[in-house]
Amino acid sequence: MYRQPLQAAIRTASRAASRAARGAAHGAAHGKAALQEAGSSGAAQHLKRQGAPCQRLHTTTQLCNVKETRQNTEEEVGVLTKLIEAMGFTGPLKYNKWKIKIAALRMYTCCVERINYDDFFEKCSLPDTLNSWFLVAQLHVWMCLVRMRQEGREGKYMCQFMVHSMWEDVEQRSKIMGIDAIQRKEGMRAMTEMFYAALFGYDEGILSDDSVLAAALWRNLFNSECEDPEQLELMVGYVRKQMQYVDSLDGDDLILTGEVKWRPLVEQNAQSILKVATPTYNDTGL
């Protein structure tokens, strides 16, 4: 006696489940077409109105095509990490922070030890002084900062330690030259203002055309005293080729080693450093 109601209930539930499955499939197919036409946000609302299951639907403001290359996005960090970094501490990094510090110190060393300053002083008519040394050094430090800012939180941490190492080096050099404490303090303040003004000008110049970059070099490197357009042309070409060269270096290698081999100030064919070596073939095509 109890089997007939039970079997009827099972048949009723089975038919209801079949109708629900067909309705869900129809709603999903209709929703997919609407998603392609109206975009993700509007499509999500359309699916809700059609009764399709969208609890697990991930909405985005931009549709991703499988044929397109996904762009690099800013690294997502948690609230605790943001709070730690806002308090001045360093959050968790991909690599050991001591290795990053050593690499940053080595990269700064490349900016001050692997540069032929005599060529800059001669070609740009700069006096052989501590200030001229600093102007040339900060130009190369800026190029490293631009490159390392592309490497996420590790690169930003490396930039901070590079700037810290630079100011310690400048202070030690001024002490060795016998500059007294009062003049040293005033000079450090002036150099600090000069450095951050140069960063802003160089950033604007590298993102603009050569005339804007030449104006930034004229203000910051030449102290607004250059009257030879060939010197400006030389430095604009130097900065462009160095930035292209540094951008071609592997980011992980820079974070772990900090090794940068700068291109010379004057070379015959600067574009050849970026040209990919192509294979040569004989007459038979082999």
Side-chain angles (χ1 to χ4, degrees):
M1 296 294 293
Y2 65 88
R3 291 184 180 180
Q4 293 180 354
L6 182 59
Q7 291 174 356
I10 292 175
R11 286 194 298 268
T12 303
S14 178
R15 287 194 296 268
S18 299
R19 287 195 299 270
R22 288 194 298 269
H26 177 73
H30 186 72
K32 182 178 180 180
L35 183 62
Q36 295 176 350
E37 294 177 358
S40 59
S41 59
Q45 297 176 359
H46 182 75
L47 288 175
K48 290 180 180 179
R49 289 195 299 267
Q50 295 297 326
C54 58
Q55 290 82 358
R56 300 178 62 84
L57 179 65
H58 176 71
T59 61
T60 179
T61 58
Q62 182 179 3
L63 294 178
C64 295
N65 192 343
V66 293
K67 295 183 179 180
E68 297 178 355
T69 302
R70 184 177 296 275
Q71 301 293 329
N72 294 329
T73 57
E74 187 70 17
E75 181 182 1
E76 295 183 0
V77 295
V79 178
L80 181 60
T81 301
K82 293 181 179 180
L83 180 61
I84 292 175
E85 293 182 347
M87 295 175 62
F89 299 98
T90 303
L93 300 173
K94 182 179 178 181
Y95 301 105
N96 187 283
K97 67 177 183 179
W98 298 111
K99 292 183 179 180
I100 298 178
K101 282 187 176 182
I102 293 174
L105 182 59
R106 187 179 293 114
M107 182 173 289
Y108 173 73
T109 304
C110 293
C111 294
V112 297
E113 298 294 339
R114 294 186 178 179
I115 303 297
N116 191 341
Y117 288 90
D118 293 335
D119 285 349
F120 285 91
F121 295 161
E122 179 182 357
K123 300 294 184 181
C124 300
S125 301
L126 298 176
D128 190 0
T129 60
L130 177 63
N131 185 64
S132 297
W133 169 87
F134 176 73
L135 294 177
V136 177
Q138 78 171 359
L139 177 63
H140 293 81
V141 170
W142 163 74
M143 287 189 281
C144 289
L145 296 180
V146 172
R147 177 62 183 87
M148 298 315 300
R149 282 200 295 262
Q150 304 174 24
E151 298 303 323
R153 297 173 58 253
E154 290 78 13
K156 294 178 181 179
Y157 180 71
M158 194 169 177
C159 291
Q160 295 175 2
F161 196 77
M162 277 189 63
V163 175
H164 176 74
S165 301
M166 181 188 70
W167 292 126
E168 285 190 345
D169 186 27
V170 171
E171 186 174 5
Q172 291 298 323
R173 289 174 185 265
S174 61
K175 289 180 179 180
I176 294 175
M177 295 183 63
I179 301 177
D180 61 83
I182 298 178
Q183 294 181 353
R184 186 167 61 248
K185 183 177 180 180
E186 294 177 353
M188 291 289 292
R189 183 184 299 109
M191 285 183 175
T192 302
E193 296 176 356
M194 184 189 309
F195 175 71
Y196 289 105
L199 293 185
F200 180 80
Y202 289 150
D203 284 344
E204 182 183 13
I206 201 64
L207 295 174
S208 305
D209 55 14
D210 289 347
S211 61
V212 180
L213 180 58
L217 291 167
W218 181 76
R219 292 192 308 269
N220 299 287
L221 181 64
F222 294 96
N223 284 321
S224 304
E225 296 179 356
C226 178
E227 299 179 357
D228 189 355
E230 293 184 356
Q231 293 179 347
L232 282 174
E233 182 182 4
L234 175 65
M235 289 307 303
V236 168
Y238 176 79
V239 172
R240 293 292 187 190
K241 74 178 181 181
Q242 292 290 12
M243 289 301 301
Q244 291 176 348
Y245 172 70
V246 175
D247 284 341
S248 66
L249 300 178
D250 183 74
D252 290 334
D253 292 341
L254 290 175
I255 292 176
L256 294 176
T257 64
E259 290 289 335
V260 178
K261 296 180 180 179
W262 302 100
R263 307 304 305 175
L265 178 60
V266 179
E267 52 186 337
Q268 297 298 326
N269 187 12
Q271 295 298 324
S272 63
I273 65 175
L274 300 175
K275 188 179 298 183
V276 179
T278 56
T280 58
Y281 300 93
N282 54 25
D283 295 337
T284 60
L286 301 177

